[in-house]
Amino acid sequence: MNTSFEDVSQAIAPEEPDYADASRLGPDALPHLQRIAENSDPMLASKAAYLASLIKDDRAVSVLETAAQRDDATVRVAAAAGVANLGSRRRRATKMIACLLSDADVGVRRRALTSLARTTSADVRPTLETLRREDPDASIRRAASQVLGQASVNS
């Protein structure tokens, strides 16, 4: 499938994109999603990040990493939400996940914790332990404790 920038832009243009349908654009959409995540307004960049997380290709992690570094918290929240969709690719994203868990914005930290609720890798366990003990927000400390208690930690 030869996916154009216009195809990708149209897929994420609606206020509520049909992400399941848009993910059918496949891996050819990832370079375009990368470009949108890097250079677009926060709303489009956040949609691009989330859509990338649904595409089963290792390059999707790069799009999320880009989104996780944006100044706008909305985009970083989308990157954190996308972590839940990475499955086995999550191991490639350990550094990004640790950054999201340590983000200055409480909403970003909360969404990253929610995305890790079922399973997490041993690589982020120290960050979760630090959040559990030291985060200034009590709800984040509780959520980190829950994630540590519920997660099946994969070595």
Side-chain angles (χ1 to χ4, degrees), residues 80-87 90 97 101 108-121 124-125 128 131 140 142-154:
V83 167
N85 300 321
L86 291 179
R90 199 178 287 181
I97 294 167
L101 289 169
V108 174
R109 294 193 312 273
R110 185 173 290 116
R111 189 60 184 108
L113 284 166
T114 303
S115 292
L116 293 173
R118 291 194 188 126
T119 62
T120 188
S121 70
V124 296
R125 189 173 184 89
L128 291 170
L131 282 176
I140 296 295
R142 283 190 301 274
S145 183
Q146 288 177 332
V147 170
L148 284 164
Q150 295 173 356
S152 60
V153 178
N154 304 316

Side-chain angles (χ1 to χ4, degrees), residues 81-109:
V83 167
N85 300 321
L86 291 179
S88 63
R89 296 170 293 159
R90 199 178 287 181
R91 286 184 170 225
R92 293 192 60 237
T94 300
K95 184 177 177 182
M96 175 196 62
I97 294 167
C99 286
L100 291 167
L101 289 169
S102 302
D103 197 277
D105 187 276
V106 69
V108 174
R109 294 193 312 273

Side-chain angles (χ1 to χ4, degrees), residues 3-150:
T3 304
S4 70
F5 184 81
E6 290 74 29
D7 294 334
V8 174
S9 295
Q10 287 177 357
I12 63 172
E15 187 174 333
E16 292 290 330
D18 182 345
Y19 287 107
D21 186 52
S23 69
R24 292 186 188 107
L25 292 170
D28 287 347
L30 290 168
H32 305 302
L33 293 170
Q34 179 72 40
R35 180 175 152 199
I36 293 167
E38 288 171 353
N39 302 314
S40 293
D41 71 80
M43 189 54 65
L44 282 177
S46 64
K47 293 174 186 181
Y50 190 75
L51 176 55
S53 76
L54 297 172
I55 297 173
K56 306 297 184 211
D57 188 285
D58 286 345
R59 295 174 294 165
V61 173
S62 178
V63 178
L64 290 179
E65 288 170 340
T66 296
Q69 294 173 15
R70 290 285 302 261
D71 288 337
D72 191 282
T74 304
V75 182
R76 297 192 315 274
V77 166
V83 167
N85 300 321
L86 291 179
S88 63
R89 296 170 293 159
R90 199 178 287 181
R91 286 184 170 225
R92 293 192 60 237
T94 300
K95 184 177 177 182
M96 175 196 62
I97 294 167
C99 286
L100 291 167
L101 289 169
S102 302
D103 197 277
D105 187 276
V106 69
V108 174
R109 294 193 312 273
R110 185 173 290 116
R111 189 60 184 108
L113 284 166
T114 303
S115 292
L116 293 173
R118 291 194 188 126
T119 62
T120 188
S121 70
D123 295 340
V124 296
R125 189 173 184 89
T127 305
L128 291 170
E129 291 284 357
T130 300
L131 282 176
R132 183 183 57 77
R133 287 188 318 271
E134 301 173 13
D135 196 273
D137 187 285
S139 69
I140 296 295
R141 292 191 305 271
R142 283 190 301 274
S145 183
Q146 288 177 332
V147 170
L148 284 164
Q150 295 173 356

